[in-house]
Amino acid sequence: MNMLFKTLPKIDHSDFQRILKIIPEPVIVTDTNPCIVYVNPALEKLTGYKLAELVGKNPRILKSGKTPETVYQRLYRALTGGKSFSTREVINKRKDGSLYQIDASYVPIVTGGKTVFYVQIQHDITAHKKAEAELAGHAAELEKMNKSKDEFIYFASHTLRTPLSAVAWSIERLSEDNDGYSAKQQKSLNLIYDQTQRMIKLTNDLLDATRMEFGVLAYKYEETNPQTVASNVIIDLKDRIRKKKIKFKFTSGKDIRAYKTYSNAIYMILHNLLSNAVKFTPIGGKVGLKISKTEIELILQVSDSGIGIPRSAQEKIFQKMYRAQNVKDKFEGSGLGLYIISGIISHMGGKISVESKQGKGTTFTVWLPVTKGGIYE
Ligand code: ADP
């Protein structure tokens, strides 16, 4: 080790000065008063001051009045305690009055147990800070635009829903009073009815999606038996199930009892999964619903023997408005259902997963935590 040192050249005072001169970062050296004793050319360039203008001056000549006073208090405490200090909060003023922000490190130089100099190394972060502020501004602007877009969608859906419901209601009345429509007229009436129902479903999905995003979806927290909720969903879908001659199987554990939870959320989850299963399963296929539980979770499983989901689409189907290639143009839908229920499920602290094989079928599994005071009491 000693041998190695003996072979190294010695660095003297003038070498250090030359090194300081070529360092690209601005450097200020002060005594303990503190008065500036040296600044390097990088600092001259940054501030517009020449070395001769600064030597002997207090570094406060660079103060802008924009740096929080607490920063100087912390700096003073650190340096007088013989410690280094770093901050990104210092805003200084150049000779021409313009401001610049620095990432600064202050280091006391101690000789023989006594501080003799303070060295300040600066890194100009003005451009970086400006870019950061601009980015934050853009992000806030985007968020504002997004919010007003969502508000517009909410308003439009809300406004559309009432007249659409009135149209659907009127068509139902017309069909009921039917005494003498030709087959052609009845067909047109059915078509208008179906299309109106489609628009109502879309406006409802848009409303639910924006309500979920705004965090204003009304959750009904009440004593609920998931079996009863499931039966209500099945009743709702029974015409579709019958029309497609689907073999439907509902199994539920005997130990499933009522507990306090968001009843309408469970309804929405099951309604979405089951109506998808029926929609994407060909005539004569199979759809199943199984409800079970563990010590801590309620498990809802919806499976079908339908068209399945391409592997590459499986991780995207929970995204807003995503629809897999094999359903586009063949099946109606908004691509909002899974997005809405996955938001609801995570609001409830649960999770959802999918297993699927194209052409064979799909199984969705939902785990919902059973809250304290719930199912097992
Ligand atoms: P959609 O209104 O299209 O049904 P969802 O958000 O409910 O929208 O579902 C998103 C996409 O996930 C569907 O468009 C479809 O590609 C796929 N998908 C969901 N459920 C099934 C299923 N049971 N079988 C096949 N594909 C499904």
Side-chain angles (χ1 to χ4, degrees):
M1 194 72 137
N2 280 340
M3 283 291 291
L4 184 67
F5 273 120
K6 268 178 206 149
T7 61
L8 292 173
K10 270 194 153 227
I11 298 184
D12 64 18
H13 183 72
S14 64
D15 291 326
F16 277 118
Q17 274 218 335
R18 278 210 300 278
I19 292 168
L20 272 179
K21 261 192 182 158
I22 57 164
I23 285 178
E25 296 289 26
V27 176
I28 303 176
V29 183
T30 70
D31 63 10
T32 50
N33 279 324
C35 284
I36 297 174
V37 294
Y38 177 76
V39 300
N40 70 348
L43 190 114
E44 289 181 320
K45 194 167 164 219
L46 176 66
T47 63
Y49 286 108
K50 288 281 160 225
L51 173 65
E53 292 174 279
L54 291 175
V55 168
K57 300 269 164 52
N58 188 298
R60 85 165 70 94
I61 188 173
L62 299 171
K63 259 179 129 178
S64 66
K66 303 272 180 206
T67 309
E69 225 14 74
T70 51
V71 174
Y72 293 118
Q73 287 159 5
R74 281 186 287 140
L75 168 66
Y76 180 78
R77 268 202 305 278
L79 292 184
T80 51
K83 294 197 185 91
S84 310
F85 182 76
S86 293
T87 175
R88 288 169 65 86
E89 290 170 90
V90 173
I91 299 169
N92 277 349
K93 195 167 69 181
R94 296 188 182 85
K95 190 177 174 183
D96 65 8
S98 61
L99 303 182
Y100 63 97
Q101 189 158 359
I102 48 171
D103 180 347
S105 298
Y106 302 81
V107 186
I109 305 292
V110 181
T111 307
K114 226 175 128 220
T115 302
V116 282
F117 295 115
Y118 295 122
V119 175
Q120 190 189 130
I121 304 156
Q122 304 190 344
H123 177 63
D124 185 7
I125 54 169
T126 315
H128 182 79
K129 282 280 169 188
K130 198 168 156 227
E132 248 178 36
E134 270 172 18
L135 260 181
H138 286 321
E141 190 65 22
L142 269 178
E143 198 170 310
K144 219 169 111 194
M145 273 164 61
N146 215 13
K147 190 145 185 265
S148 65
K149 183 204 73 195
D150 286 347
E151 277 164 359
F152 172 73
I153 293 173
Y154 186 80
F155 168 78
S157 326
H158 207 265
T159 315
L160 276 172
R161 200 168 56 158
T162 315
L164 282 174
S165 303
V167 173
W169 186 84
S170 305
I171 300 165
E172 273 173 39
R173 296 293 81 74
L174 275 175
S175 295
E176 272 172 18
D177 302 341
N178 173 7
D179 46 4
Y181 290 140
S182 67
K184 207 171 156 195
Q185 283 169 328
Q186 188 59 50
K187 205 175 156 199
S188 301
L189 221 49
N190 290 348
L191 184 76
I192 300 171
Y193 184 76
D194 286 349
Q195 294 303 319
T196 312
Q197 287 301 343
R198 232 182 106 186
M199 287 192 273
I200 291 174
K201 164 96 175 68
L202 178 63
T203 49
N204 281 339
D205 280 357
L206 285 167
L207 272 175
D208 283 340
T210 35
R211 277 188 191 124
M212 198 258 297
E213 285 168 357
F214 288 164
V216 294
L217 197 81
Y219 291 98
K220 277 189 220 147
Y221 190 66
E222 58 190 4
E223 189 88 357
T224 307
N225 190 327
Q227 288 170 329
T228 317
V229 179
S231 303
N232 289 337
V233 175
I234 295 163
I235 291 171
D236 228 34
L237 298 176
K238 75 172 189 315
D239 283 349
R240 286 186 236 174
I241 296 172
R242 198 184 304 138
K243 243 187 199 165
K244 288 187 82 173
K245 298 185 173 66
I246 301 272
K247 291 174 204 76
F248 186 78
K249 193 173 171 197
F250 175 28
T251 42
S252 176
K254 284 196 181 67
D255 48 359
I256 304 294
R257 293 193 297 270
Y259 73 113
K260 275 215 146 168
T261 184
Y262 299 123
S263 57
N264 60 333
I266 295 186
Y267 184 91
M268 285 168 90
I269 294 166
L270 287 178
H271 197 279
N272 180 271
L273 294 178
L274 281 171
S275 47
N276 272 350
V278 173
K279 178 165 70 174
F280 296 124
T281 298
I283 292 171
K286 286 185 207 157
V287 170
L289 166 63
K290 190 175 159 204
I291 303 181
S292 58
K293 69 175 183 64
T294 67
E295 283 296 306
I296 49 164
E297 285 158 326
L298 178 76
I299 304 169
L300 311 170
Q301 203 160 50
V302 174
S303 50
D304 64 63
S305 63
I307 59 164
I309 305 167
R311 183 170 275 282
S312 59
Q314 287 177 18
E315 60 187 42
K316 299 187 194 138
I317 53 172
F318 301 101
Q319 291 169 9
K320 197 176 184 175
M321 297 191 137
Y322 182 84
R323 309 192 72 220
Q325 211 53 46
N326 63 334
V327 310
K328 277 187 190 160
D329 310 325
K330 290 188 209 126
F331 296 89
E332 281 167 13
S334 62
L336 285 170
L338 288 180
Y339 170 71
I340 296 167
I341 66 157
S342 61
I344 292 173
I345 291 165
S346 72
H347 177 84
M348 293 171 82
K351 60 179 198 273
I352 181 166
S353 83
V354 64
E355 262 178 69
S356 185
K357 212 163 187 192
Q358 226 180 318
K360 295 267 181 237
T362 302
T363 300
F364 282 95
T365 310
V366 177
W367 293 266
L368 297 174
V370 178
T371 48
K372 215 163 176 260
I375 202 162
Y376 302 117
E377 275 203 346

